Amino acid sequence: MIYKKTYDSPLGIINMESDGEYLTGLWFDGSRDDKKHNSQGVFKDLDIFDETADWLNSYFKGNNPDFTPKYKLKNLTPFREEVFDIMNKIPYGEVITYNDIACKIADKRGIKKMSAQAVGGAVGWNPICIIIPCHRVVGSNGSLTGYGGGIENKIGLLKLEGIDLSKFSIPKKGNAL
């Protein structure tokens, strides 16, 4: 069974999804990420939704929450796991590039190069936005690209974390990584 609940954030409605025990999805309503999630589900109050709402309340007050709601990632490939391990280590208030992640994976694997576009695909797969901080990944050219939750929301999240956005650009077309 899939359970759902919504959270009213300063940036708009955020959808939460759970298997009853773990958070399995978190995304902005009406965003591209809507397509990644099952539209079916039963709206229900669950402890995991309360825990997630507590995390989001703290985050949207400008804090770096000191706990993480328990979540489960379905269909996590070994490559996605490598990317997610790096994403989860991006400090609050900082960003890294898709290429930075690609270089870290290449170093770890002992190979010369890893595709930043492949990294972009793994980052874009993220079913749990904000908590898994894919919004902190930017293009190597300073482009605020590649956020399924919407560029306006990415900008809002980065501003909330105190990131100086003057050095970044909004992509006109495409997804330069």
Side-chain angles (χ1 to χ4, degrees), residues 52-70:
T52 302
D54 288 345
W55 190 98
L56 290 167
N57 287 337
S58 179
Y59 179 82
F60 282 112
K61 286 179 185 168
N63 302 314
N64 182 12
D66 61 356
F67 69 98
T68 302
K70 58 185 181 175

Side-chain angles (χ1 to χ4, degrees), residues 44 67 72 75 94 111 116 161 175:
K44 185 174 181 181
F67 69 98
K72 184 187 293 183
N75 304 316
E94 294 183 26
I111 58 177
E161 293 187 22
N175 275 341

Side-chain angles (χ1 to χ4, degrees), residues 37-169:
H37 298 276
N38 189 335
S39 60
Q40 302 299 312
V42 175
F43 281 84
K44 185 174 181 181
D45 289 325
L46 296 171
D47 290 343
I48 188 58
F49 292 149
D50 292 341
E51 185 180 338
T52 302
D54 288 345
W55 190 98
L56 290 167
N57 287 337
S58 179
Y59 179 82
F60 282 112
K61 286 179 185 168
N63 302 314
N64 182 12
D66 61 356
F67 69 98
T68 302
K70 58 185 181 175
Y71 63 81
K72 184 187 293 183
L73 299 170
K74 302 175 209 164
N75 304 316
L76 186 64
T77 66
F79 179 69
R80 287 175 181 163
E81 186 172 11
E82 285 181 279
V83 171
F84 278 49
D85 286 345
I86 294 167
M87 266 197 307
N88 278 325
K89 292 175 183 156
I90 306 169
Y92 178 94
E94 294 183 26
V95 297
I96 66 172
T97 69
Y98 295 93
N99 192 55
D100 291 336
I101 295 173
C103 289
K104 287 176 188 265
I105 292 171
D107 285 347
K108 180 181 171 191
R109 291 182 174 188
I111 58 177
K112 281 187 172 186
K113 192 172 182 179
M114 169 61 60
S115 166
Q117 283 187 314
V119 168
V123 170
W125 176 84
N126 182 14
I128 300 177
C129 77
I130 309 173
I131 293 171
I132 299 173
C134 55
H135 62 281
R136 296 181 189 148
V137 184
V138 300
S140 55
N141 61 356
S143 177
L144 296 176
T145 187
Y147 189 61
I151 193 69
E152 310 81 24
N153 290 328
K154 183 171 188 158
I155 290 168
L157 296 170
L158 295 175
K159 277 184 183 177
L160 178 73
E161 293 187 22
I163 294 172
D164 176 12
L165 297 178
S166 66
K167 57 187 169 189
F168 298 104
S169 64

